[in-house]
Amino acid sequence: MWQHPCVGSTPIRLLIADDQALVRGALAALLDLEPDLSVVAEVGRGDEVVAAAREHRPDVALLDVEMPGIDGIAAAAALRSAMPGCKVLMVTTFGRPGYLRRAMAAGASGFVVKDTPARQLADAVRRIASGLRVVDPALAAETLASGDSPLTPREADVLRAAREGGTAADVAGQLGLSEGTVRNHLSAAIGKTGARTRAEAVRLADENGWL
């Protein structure tokens, strides 16, 4: 089993952010059993991460992806900007290629799913604390297989603007395009993603990290 150099001396300080109290508490209890790990803060919202990190000075923050306030990926970016020395490990139910790409772009050092065995999760924390990267291997393979985005930059812009569910006219007004141009871009994006509807195209593009 991997052992961080600080084993036997100063424990690695951890912050856990998850909006499900039961999951957050279980993670904290499991990790606190490790003699070289210490959970120093727990929060339930993405917009509480930076303040808690500033107060408790963790070495590693374990962040869920989907949280109220701001999501875990936005929280990772904010944390890396505010406290570059704090490493980020995403721990999520949602093992999707798009989330992995976005998390790494936001500065995360690792990405694992919540059903990772406790010993492997603790080892992932140690590796990240020592400056290594850790990514769930199945998700890494899926991300590589999903390939580059088939969308043009403008098609991606239109899908991003369509996330909120407005009409083609709403999207056109937001992007400064004609309604007909928006409809053409949406139609192309639906075809390229293999979707049946605009909402499905947005979901598939999000999951593949194309937006």
Side-chain angles (χ1 to χ4, degrees):
M1 185 173 70
W2 172 271
Q3 284 201 324
H4 186 270
C6 75
V7 172
S9 56
T10 304
I12 301 168
R13 297 167 61 82
L14 308 180
L15 179 152
I16 298 176
D18 194 302
D19 63 327
Q20 296 182 320
L22 187 61
V23 172
R24 188 172 69 244
L27 283 174
L30 286 170
L31 293 171
D32 259 337
L33 291 174
E34 301 289 329
D36 60 321
L37 306 181
S38 176
V39 177
V40 296
E42 299 177 42
V43 297
R45 296 174 56 91
D47 52 7
E48 295 174 342
V49 167
V50 171
R54 282 179 170 149
E55 180 180 355
H56 297 282
R57 316 303 294 182
D59 301 303
V60 179
L62 289 78
L63 309 182
D64 189 19
V65 171
E66 295 196 349
M67 290 188 288
I70 59 174
D71 67 33
I73 295 172
L79 180 57
R80 293 293 289 157
S81 176
M83 295 181 60
C86 181
K87 305 294 196 303
V88 173
L89 173 62
M90 307 303 300
V91 185
T92 180
T93 303
F94 304 99
R96 297 171 181 167
Y99 284 160
L100 173 57
R101 285 195 180 99
R102 288 172 52 209
M104 292 309 189
S109 296
F111 196 110
V112 297
V113 292
K114 285 182 180 175
D115 60 2
T116 300
R119 177 171 292 183
Q120 290 182 25
L121 179 59
D123 286 350
V125 169
R126 296 184 184 105
R127 289 176 182 273
I128 285 171
S130 71
L132 300 177
R133 288 184 178 273
V134 178
V135 177
D136 178 87
L139 181 57
E142 186 180 351
T143 300
L144 289 173
S146 69
D148 295 329
S149 174
L151 303 172
T152 66
R154 183 54 84 182
E155 288 162 0
D157 287 342
V158 168
L159 281 186
R160 277 191 288 267
R163 273 187 179 131
E164 303 305 317
T167 65
D170 295 331
V171 174
Q174 183 177 338
L175 296 178
L177 301 172
S178 72
E179 190 172 340
T181 298
V182 167
R183 292 186 186 280
N184 288 339
H185 284 315
L186 286 172
S187 178
I190 288 169
K192 288 179 179 180
T193 57
R196 292 170 296 178
T197 65
R198 181 180 74 174
E200 186 179 8
V202 171
R203 178 180 62 79
L204 290 171
D206 255 335
E207 289 180 359
N208 282 288
W210 297 337
L211 298 183

